[in-house]
């Protein structure tokens, strides 16, 4: 097949026998036929390899590479060594895509000769069957004027820290990735964050295809909901990301946005940590507070969500995770109490104005009865 391959799909596989069929079926039945499917069996101990071999026996486009367990990053890095397609696509083995996804993405990327193409994805909650657009798919922060147009990070730097940083809702030009010689950080969780900054800040030709093409499965036993000791990886990932960002002028102009980005990431990871491990994570956060210059936060908290403000304020004063959780909750309730008190005052004033404007014995008396 060689250079005739249009898209190389890299699929890390680790103990996903329950979900592998849905993922592989969505790939082998793509409307774009000139693809290769590189499945990296990352030391699976269940029947995943048997499923892969069964599919490979029926479809020559599937290539199986088996290795000792190296984690998601290690599996992706291995897969990237074998890619021959013009473009590269990452998918986790418990997710799946629309049958026309690769054709749509390839045509758009080829037309504009892109280094990188964003697209939309949706969350699939396995427990409920609910489908929603979640935080990983929020390309809506990028203005629609960029749809079908070429841009780079400088054009969207005001929303850089809100753009989804996952590796799998983008299509990449293979030549571009190889010239960068980019890899995922092996052995670390939250690897997509660092990969995103390495790639996006170097991409000169980027665009958006605002179509929902991938279903991201959320399940109890997934990596993101079982962080535990791996949760500390977020500190190394964000330090390395900061070093990359500092090579641009982004922090000079958007420093407060970056500090909010740090807090939002710490908050997200803390929410995934097992209860028995929370204090250790919190103590590490306290220790890293100055290293991330969190004291530089502008206390006006312009455009911060109240839960981020509460999280940030609680770090400063709490001594352990128990205190932290209590202070954080207290700060949130303080905000909500003040917010709804202000709303109540506004409604009361509107009601009083309405009473003044009405004739006696009409709507006025009806309202009086209601508010007795």
């Amino acid at each position: 097949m060689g250079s005739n391959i249009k898209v190389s799909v890299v699929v890390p596989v680790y103990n996903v026998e329950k979900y592998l069929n849905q993922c592989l079926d969505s790939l082998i039945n793509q409307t774009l036929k000139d693809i290769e499917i590189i499945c990296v069996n990352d030391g699976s101990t269940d029947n995943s390899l048997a499923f892969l071999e069964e599919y490979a026996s029926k479809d020559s486009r599937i290539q199986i590479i088996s290795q000792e367990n190296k984690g998601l990053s290690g599996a992706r890095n291995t897969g990237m060594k074998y890619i021959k397609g013009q473009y590269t696509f990452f998918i986790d083995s418990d997710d799946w895509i629309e049958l026309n996804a690769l054709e749509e993405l390839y045509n758009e990327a080829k037309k504009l000769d892109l280094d990188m193409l964003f697209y939309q994805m949706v969350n699939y909650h396995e427990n409920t069957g609910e489908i929603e657009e979640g935080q990983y798919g929020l390309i809506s922060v990028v203005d629609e004027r960029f749809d079908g147009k070429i841009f780079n990070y400088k054009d969207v730097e005001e929303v850089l820290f809100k753009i989804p940083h996952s590796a799998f809702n983008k299509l990449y030009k293979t030549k571009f990735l190889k010239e960068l010689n980019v890899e995922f950080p092996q052995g670390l969780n939250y690897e997509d964050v660092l990969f995103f900054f390495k790639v996006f800040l170097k991409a000169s030709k980027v665009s958006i295809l605002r179509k929902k093409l991938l279903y991201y499965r959320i399940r109890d036993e997934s990596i993101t909901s079982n962080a535990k000791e791996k949760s500390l990886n977020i500190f190394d990932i964000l330090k390395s990301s900061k070093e990359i960002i500092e090579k641009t002028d982004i922090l000079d102009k958007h420093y407060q946005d970056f500090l909010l980005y740090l807090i939002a990431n710490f908050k997200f990871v803390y929410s995934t940590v097992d209860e028995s491990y929370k204090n250790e994570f919190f103590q590490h956060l306290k220790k890293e507070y100055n290293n991330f210059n969190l004291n530089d936060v502008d206390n006006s908290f312009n455009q911060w969500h109240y839960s981020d403000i509460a999280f940030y304020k609680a770090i400063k004063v709490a001594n352990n995770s128990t205190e932290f959780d209590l202070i954080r909750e207290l700060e949130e309730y303080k905000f909500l109490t003040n917010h709804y008190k202000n709303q109540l005052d506004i409604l009361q004033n509107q009601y009083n104005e309405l009473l003044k404007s009405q004739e006696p014995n009409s709507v006025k008396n009806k309202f009086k009865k209601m508010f007795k």
Side-chain angles (χ1 to χ4, degrees):
M1 290 190 289
S3 59
N4 293 327
I5 300 171
K6 293 175 178 175
V7 178
S8 295
V9 184
V10 177
V11 191
V13 177
Y14 178 70
N15 290 353
V16 283
E17 61 180 16
K18 184 178 175 183
Y19 311 105
L20 198 49
N21 284 2
Q22 189 170 21
C23 177
L24 292 177
D25 285 343
S26 77
L27 295 176
I28 64 174
N29 292 307
Q30 285 292 302
T31 55
L32 183 69
K33 302 302 180 186
D34 303 327
I35 66 174
E36 63 174 357
I37 304 165
I38 302 169
C39 298
V40 182
N41 174 41
D42 192 41
S44 294
T45 56
D46 65 355
N47 291 316
S48 293
L49 179 58
F51 278 110
L52 290 176
E53 290 172 341
E54 181 184 347
Y55 273 83
S57 68
K58 298 174 183 176
D59 195 319
S60 61
R61 297 173 300 173
I62 294 177
Q63 183 178 358
I64 304 171
I65 301 148
S66 287
Q67 63 181 28
E68 292 182 4
N69 182 259
K70 294 182 179 180
L72 182 59
S73 291
R76 285 175 176 168
N77 291 339
T78 296
M80 287 171 68
K81 293 177 183 176
Y82 292 85
I83 51 181
K84 301 184 186 73
Q86 298 169 41
Y87 286 87
T88 298
F89 183 87
F90 297 103
I91 184 171
D92 290 352
S93 49
D94 55 351
D95 301 334
W96 72 97
I97 54 176
E98 296 285 3
L99 296 184
N100 63 340
L102 296 182
E103 183 173 19
E104 294 255 8
L105 291 168
Y106 174 79
N107 287 342
E108 186 73 4
K110 193 70 175 174
K111 181 176 70 176
L112 299 174
D113 189 28
L114 299 174
D115 296 323
M116 190 173 181
L117 176 61
F118 289 80
Y119 67 93
Q120 283 180 296
M121 49 166 281
V122 293
N123 288 344
Y124 169 75
H125 294 270
E126 184 181 8
N127 289 343
T128 63
E130 178 189 5
I131 293 176
E132 61 165 6
E133 184 173 331
Q135 62 179 12
Y136 295 119
L138 286 178
I139 59 172
S140 56
V141 297
V142 180
D143 195 284
E144 290 186 5
R145 75 178 186 275
F146 292 110
D147 292 13
K149 302 289 192 300
I150 295 173
F151 64 91
N152 61 40
Y153 81 88
K154 293 179 181 178
D155 299 308
V156 295
E157 61 183 29
E158 71 280 358
V159 294
L160 175 64
F161 300 114
K162 297 178 182 176
I163 295 173
H165 296 165
S166 51
F168 46 74
N169 68 327
K170 297 150 187 96
L171 184 74
Y172 308 86
K173 181 186 281 187
T174 301
K175 183 182 177 184
F176 167 65
L177 291 182
K178 289 188 173 181
E179 286 174 351
L180 279 183
N181 195 28
V182 65
E183 287 190 333
F184 291 89
Q186 190 165 316
L188 297 178
N189 277 14
Y190 317 110
E191 63 288 319
D192 286 8
V193 172
L194 185 56
F195 184 83
F196 171 80
F197 286 117
K198 283 181 177 179
V199 174
F200 186 51
L201 297 184
K202 292 291 186 181
S204 58
K205 301 175 77 174
V206 184
S207 192
I208 283 180
L209 184 64
R210 212 173 292 262
K211 293 184 178 181
K212 298 171 182 175
L213 300 175
L214 182 141
Y215 294 86
Y216 175 75
R217 187 188 304 271
I218 297 177
R219 53 191 176 96
D220 290 341
E221 69 270 25
S222 65
I223 291 174
T224 49
S225 58
N226 260 326
K228 297 188 179 178
E229 68 280 355
K230 286 285 190 179
S231 62
L232 296 184
N233 294 163
I234 192 63
F235 297 101
D236 294 328
I237 290 291
L238 290 176
K239 280 178 193 172
S240 298
S241 297
K242 185 181 180 185
E243 290 172 5
I244 294 169
I245 297 165
E246 284 173 335
K247 294 175 183 176
T248 71
D249 62 354
I250 291 170
L251 293 187
D252 295 336
K253 294 181 281 185
H254 303 284
Y255 188 44
Q256 291 300 316
D257 290 336
F258 176 68
L259 294 176
L260 171 57
Y261 173 73
L262 293 176
I263 292 297
N265 272 275
F266 293 142
K267 187 182 75 169
F268 168 74
V269 175
Y270 184 79
S271 72
T272 71
V273 175
D274 187 83
E275 202 66 38
S276 62
Y277 197 71
K278 280 193 170 182
N279 190 55
E280 189 168 346
F281 182 89
F282 173 74
Q283 296 302 336
H284 206 85
L285 179 55
K286 289 281 281 190
K287 189 176 79 172
E288 295 286 352
Y289 187 90
N290 291 327
N291 291 336
F292 283 103
N293 303 114
L294 293 179
N295 229 22
D296 292 345
V297 168
D298 177 357
N299 287 323
S300 66
F301 299 113
N302 185 33
Q303 296 184 338
W304 281 46
H305 189 272
Y306 75 89
S307 65
D308 294 324
I309 299 172
F311 189 94
Y312 173 71
K313 285 183 174 181
I315 299 171
K316 285 185 166 184
V317 294
N319 295 306
N320 53 59
S321 61
T322 303
E323 286 184 10
F324 176 72
D325 288 339
L326 187 62
I327 295 167
R328 179 184 170 194
E329 189 173 10
L330 180 63
E331 288 291 336
E332 289 186 357
Y333 278 117
K334 277 184 185 176
F335 174 88
L336 292 171
T337 299
N338 290 331
H339 172 74
Y340 285 113
K341 183 180 181 302
N342 291 337
Q343 289 296 108
L344 188 61
D345 289 342
I346 290 169
L347 290 171
Q348 185 68 55
N349 289 336
Q350 290 177 349
Y351 164 66
N352 291 339
E353 290 299 317
L354 180 63
L355 288 184
K356 289 178 185 177
S357 67
Q358 300 297 330
E359 292 295 327
N361 302 319
S362 60
V363 177
K364 179 177 178 179
N365 290 332
K366 292 180 182 178
F367 270 96
K368 279 185 175 179
K369 289 177 182 177
M370 289 172 61
F371 280 82
K372 277 184 179 178

